[in-house]
Amino acid sequence: MLIQQTITKLQNLHLIGMAKGFDDQLSSVAAMSLSFEERFGILIDQETTYRENQRLKRLLKTAKLKFNSCVEDIDYQHNRGLDKSQMASLVTCQWIEKGVNLIMTGLTGSGKTWLACAFGNQACRQGKTVLFQRLPLLLEELQISHADGSFRKRLAQLAKCDLLILDDFGMAALTIQGRSDLLEVIDSRVGGRSTIVTSQIPVENWYGYLSGGNPTVADAILDRIISGSLRIPLQGESMRKLRK
């Protein structure tokens, strides 16, 4: 009865990892041969691991990544122009800590979104907050938010995450409002927050897509996204075709 009460108290204190570890030790012959200090140290490790796993689950759930991809599964066999030394540097996520942007361009199926989600997953594993957004849908949501008065709140949410993934840049025509909203989103993240932008449009053609009769806004967006950014121009055939 005393043992069950101890387990219940641990659970009530939200020490779930320790409660599970304590229960496991009771049925472990090997654990009985350990000293109190050793057994207690194992319980602390189990609680730490449990909390880290729970935090990772929360971060991944909030990130809403399109693919459950990870950096360990990056395909280097097919020639896509990936630089292994650059990829190794990106995996450390130091660029996120410095607030550097990452631009990935390439034809449809080249793996831009998959790779962006892999970096998002890696950032979550390092305790960073991530948010995946398809840019066309995000701009529609922001347009609606102007009507219901939630634009500033939504902008603040986008501004505070450590890594924002804007997928499918250039897939839909920009309205005047959409162009202005995109500038607000990018500007709110300058100076400390990183953004991944994926696009089928080469960077040199972005100005034509963004200008739409307003070169001032286009210049402002490009300056904030491109200045000091890292780039991965993906090459080769569609990965979907190759996998088939």
Side-chain angles (χ1 to χ4, degrees):
M1 181 63 69
L2 182 59
I3 291 175
Q4 186 55 50
Q5 288 178 350
T6 299
I7 293 175
T8 300
K9 288 179 180 179
L10 287 172
Q11 292 172 339
N12 291 339
L13 290 169
H14 302 290
L15 298 173
I16 309 301
M18 291 186 71
K20 177 67 168 55
F22 181 57
D23 191 38
D24 290 342
Q25 286 189 11
L26 294 175
S27 57
S28 172
V29 177
M32 298 302 173
S33 63
L34 300 176
S35 66
F36 171 80
E37 291 80 3
E38 290 172 326
R39 292 179 64 179
F40 189 69
I42 291 173
L43 292 180
I44 296 297
D45 290 340
Q46 288 176 307
E47 179 63 30
T48 301
T49 301
Y50 173 82
R51 294 194 178 198
E52 289 175 349
N53 290 338
Q54 290 300 110
R55 186 185 184 192
L56 177 57
K57 288 180 181 179
R58 290 194 299 270
L59 288 172
L60 288 173
K61 183 178 180 180
T62 302
K64 299 179 181 179
L65 299 174
K66 184 175 182 179
F67 295 112
N68 185 29
S69 51
C70 57
V71 294
E72 290 82 3
D73 294 333
I74 294 175
D75 184 355
Y76 294 102
Q77 293 182 349
H78 299 96
N79 184 18
R80 292 189 290 164
L82 293 177
D83 185 313
K84 287 188 177 181
S85 61
Q86 181 191 33
M87 300 302 288
S89 176
L90 291 171
V91 167
T92 65
C93 292
Q94 290 183 3
W95 57 282
I96 299 177
E97 295 172 4
K98 296 177 181 178
V100 176
N101 295 330
L102 175 61
I103 298 173
M104 288 189 282
T105 54
L107 299 177
T108 181
S110 58
K112 304 180 297 296
T113 303
W114 189 97
L115 198 56
C117 289
F119 288 130
N121 180 290
Q122 181 70 3
C124 287
R125 285 153 66 177
Q126 295 193 17
K128 295 175 172 54
T129 55
V130 179
L131 183 60
F132 177 93
Q133 293 280 299
R134 284 196 67 244
L135 185 57
L137 293 180
L138 174 61
L139 293 179
E140 287 183 13
E141 293 173 6
L142 291 175
Q143 185 175 6
I144 295 172
S145 71
H146 284 287
D148 63 21
S150 62
F151 177 76
R152 289 297 169 189
K153 180 179 179 181
R154 182 68 171 130
L155 187 63
Q157 293 173 342
L158 296 169
K160 70 180 182 180
C161 62
D162 296 318
L163 176 62
L164 175 63
I165 302 174
L166 295 179
D167 191 39
D168 286 338
F169 176 90
M171 284 292 287
L174 286 175
T175 64
I176 295 175
Q177 185 64 65
R179 193 177 294 107
S180 175
D181 289 345
L182 177 58
L183 175 58
E184 290 293 338
V185 170
I186 298 300
D187 186 65
S188 69
R189 300 182 54 75
V190 171
R193 297 287 189 254
S194 293
T195 303
I196 293 179
V197 180
T198 73
S199 177
Q200 294 185 37
I201 305 175
V203 174
E204 56 267 25
N205 296 336
W206 282 15
Y207 181 82
Y209 169 71
L210 289 168
S211 59
N214 193 336
T216 303
V217 175
D219 286 335
I221 294 174
L222 288 176
D223 179 66
R224 287 159 175 77
I225 295 179
I226 296 176
S227 180
S229 66
L230 301 170
R231 301 189 193 182
I232 302 178
L234 291 168
Q235 306 166 4
E237 296 184 64
S238 168
M239 294 300 293
R240 297 189 187 99
K241 293 180 180 178
L242 292 171
R243 290 193 182 99
K244 288 181 180 179

